[in-house]
Amino acid sequence: MRLKIDLHIHTTGSNDGFIEPEQLPFIVKERGLDGVAITNHDVFTEVAASGVIVIPGIEVSTREGHIIGLGVSGPIAGGRPADETISMIHRAEGVAIIPHPFDPLSPCVNPSKLRSEPEAIEVINSDALFFRLSTKLAMRAAERLRLPMVAGSDSHIPETVGDAYTLIDSESEKVQDILNAIRTGSVQPVGGPTSLSKKLLKLGRTIRSL
């Protein structure tokens, strides 16, 4: 079965997220998605949402930049080298993804400098500053390293969920089957940049929360 899943969103479990977990079933269905992955910054957040797929995850701050761990069942300690963090995600039976590797406004891990191999590279990140350039560079890196390409919106507000998503050919809607599909490269990145109006909406909410 082919699933549409936004693999990179932040809920209120993250200090910079404005998506209420109880909103997820409505948001996912409204955007025409099958599910999302919750990747709060250095915080593991468990969410149960009826009728939609929710993949547990975390976005870990390493010494070199951010790494997403999907399918983990608890927190992954931050502040460590990227290679060590990937190994920790693997020991937790999770999938390691390098998000926004060429976005100058985000803490980036250069996938070419890694010794530990992640499962995929996020080649489309809707929130990237120079969207076309960062997408092109990320795709080149993924091709060179022969790694699967995935996409996520990097949403912090409900309005941007689904701006990018990953088509995943999975045996079922079970999280483990979805993770296995990512591991085997049965994925296709889809999406575009978040609009300026939505970026300003996010900025306004961030300022009001300070």
Side-chain angles (χ1 to χ4, degrees):
M1 63 181 353
R2 176 161 283 195
L3 303 172
K4 295 169 64 175
I5 301 181
D6 186 340
L7 290 179
H8 190 170
I9 76 161
H10 301 272
T11 70
T12 50
S14 187
N15 60 12
D16 58 353
F18 300 95
I19 301 171
E20 297 287 349
E22 56 267 25
Q23 292 178 294
L24 285 175
F26 171 76
I27 295 169
V28 168
K29 291 174 182 177
E30 184 185 51
R31 301 294 189 275
L33 301 171
D34 295 296
V36 294
I38 297 177
T39 55
N40 289 332
H41 291 290
D42 297 310
V43 175
F44 178 77
T45 307
E46 286 216 66
V47 172
S50 178
V52 298
I53 299 167
V54 178
I55 300 173
I58 186 171
E59 186 169 4
V60 186
S61 299
T62 76
R63 291 180 188 174
E64 293 88 348
H66 291 169
I67 293 177
I68 287 175
L70 298 183
V72 297
S73 57
I76 302 291
R80 301 187 182 188
D83 284 301
E84 183 179 339
T85 301
I86 291 173
S87 296
M88 291 168 66
I89 292 169
H90 289 165
R91 286 197 296 272
E93 300 184 348
V95 162
I97 296 174
I98 307 303
H100 45 65
F102 298 100
D103 180 7
L105 285 187
S106 299
C108 303
V109 171
N110 186 337
S112 298
K113 294 184 178 180
L114 292 169
R115 295 187 304 276
S116 298
E117 187 172 286
E119 274 69 30
I121 294 177
E122 182 187 71
V123 299
I124 297 178
N125 179 297
S126 296
D127 199 42
L129 177 62
F130 302 112
F131 177 80
R132 290 186 180 180
L133 178 60
S134 62
T135 298
K136 184 176 182 179
L137 292 174
M139 285 184 170
R140 282 183 179 175
E143 288 172 353
R144 184 172 62 254
L145 297 170
R146 298 182 180 180
L147 290 172
M149 304 182 193
V150 298
S153 65
D154 202 353
S155 288
H156 292 69
I157 60 174
E159 290 82 355
T160 58
V161 174
D163 281 356
Y165 57 87
T166 304
L167 290 174
I168 303 176
D169 291 316
S170 175
E171 290 187 4
S172 76
E173 295 183 351
K174 294 179 180 178
V175 170
Q176 195 57 53
D177 285 338
I178 293 169
L179 298 178
N180 286 338
I182 296 173
R183 291 184 178 104
T184 60
S186 300
V187 291
Q188 178 184 338
V190 179
T194 291
S195 67
L196 178 59
S197 61
K198 289 181 181 179
K199 285 179 181 274
L200 292 174
L201 187 62
K202 173 190 170 185
L203 177 61
R205 290 180 189 173
T206 301
I207 291 172
R208 288 195 297 274
S209 71
L210 298 176

